[in-house]
Amino acid sequence: MADTLSPEVALRIGLAARALPDTDPKRLMMVLVDAVGLPITPTKLGRLKVTRLKAAADGELGDIDTDYLKKAVSLLKGIGVPVDEAPQPLPEVQAYAEGDMPGSIRVACASNHETRVDGHFGSCARFLIYQVSDSEVRLIDIRKAGHAPDEMDKNIFRAGLIDDCQLLYTVSIGGPAAAKVVRAGLHPIKLPNGGEATELLDDLKGVIGNNPPPWLAKVMGVGAEERIRFIQDEEEYA
C-alpha cells in the first residue's frame, strides 16, 4: 500500500499520525483508505473533513479529541507542514505576453507545495501567478516569497511581490496584512480549506465568463455602467 503514496503524501500522513494520540502511520493509513479511498492524493486529502475522518473505519479514531483531529486534518491538507521538510518539485511555467488572453485577470496563490493553495499570506514559501480568462487558466510565474529587508514591513514587502495581480488566494490573512494587500491593488480571498490551484481557478474561470458579480467586474476593469448592468441582472434573477 505504501508504494501508492507520493513522498509528499507520505510526509503529511507521518506528521498527522504524530499529532494524534496513540496513532502510528499504519493506523492512520487504514482510516484514510476508508475515508478517501486509494490512491491517496493531495487533492483527496484537501477535501477531507474532520467528521469524515472521525467516522471512517467504523470510528477507529472516534474517541480522539476533536482538537487533535483538526490538527491532523490540517497537516493532511498540507497546512502547517514545514516547507523545508516537504518535497518541492516546481510546476512548469507557461509562456505569456501581455494581450495573449483578452479579458483575463491575474491571480496570486499563496503556496507551499506544488500547485496547491495551502499557504498563509505572511508565511507561504512562494506565490504561484496565474493568468485566468473565461476559457483558460495559465501558470505564468512562480515567485519565491523570501524575507523582507530588516527595515521593511514584511506584509508590504510581500504585497509588493504580487502587486501586478488583481486577486490573492490564500488560506489565511490577518486584518492588517489584508489592508496592505488591498492598498497594493489586490482583492484578497480567504480559502481556509485550500485546494488545488487549477481546480479553484477553474471555478473562477466560469464566473468570469458568466455574468461576474460587481466586485469582480471592477477587478476586471469593467466600467461603472457595465457594473450597474451586472447589479440589475442580479436583481432581476434574484
Side-chain angles (χ1 to χ4, degrees), residues 7 22 33 39 49 64 76 89 105 110 128 138 164-165 176 204 227:
D22 302 316
V33 169
K49 305 292 186 185
I64 295 179
L76 290 168
I105 60 174
L128 307 172
R138 189 184 303 184
D164 59 330
C165 300
L204 175 64
R227 294 203 302 274

Side-chain angles (χ1 to χ4, degrees), residues 83-131:
V83 176
D84 56 355
E85 289 189 34
Q88 288 293 300
L90 291 176
E92 184 177 351
V93 172
Q94 298 172 276
Y96 175 78
E98 293 298 336
D100 279 356
M101 298 168 61
S104 63
I105 60 174
R106 191 164 297 171
V107 184
C109 297
S111 178
N112 289 322
H113 308 103
E114 298 180 341
T115 54
R116 289 190 59 76
V117 179
D118 61 358
H120 297 242
F121 171 73
S123 62
C124 66
R126 61 198 182 196
F127 294 102
L128 307 172
I129 310 299
Y130 287 89
Q131 200 74 19

Side-chain angles (χ1 to χ4, degrees), residues 3 16 34 78 96 102 117 159 161 177 183 193 196 201:
D3 61 3
D34 185 62
Y96 175 78
V117 179
L161 294 175
R183 284 193 210 106
N193 292 325
E196 186 65 28
L201 293 170

Side-chain angles (χ1 to χ4, degrees), residues 201-221:
L201 293 170
D202 270 339
D203 293 339
L204 175 64
K205 184 175 70 173
V207 174
I208 289 174
N210 186 25
N211 199 21
W215 70 266
L216 181 55
K218 183 177 180 180
V219 167
M220 293 167 61

Side-chain angles (χ1 to χ4, degrees), residues 9 11 29 51 56 112-113 117 125 129 131 154-155 162-163 229:
V9 168
L11 173 64
M29 272 290 298
T51 51
N112 289 322
H113 308 103
V117 179
I129 310 299
Q131 200 74 19
K154 178 183 73 172
N155 293 319
I162 55 175
D163 61 4
R229 179 179 64 80

Side-chain angles (χ1 to χ4, degrees), residues 133-147:
S133 71
D134 62 355
S135 61
E136 185 180 358
V137 174
R138 189 184 303 184
L139 177 64
I140 64 169
D141 199 7
I142 300 173
R143 298 174 189 170
K144 186 176 179 180
H147 299 285

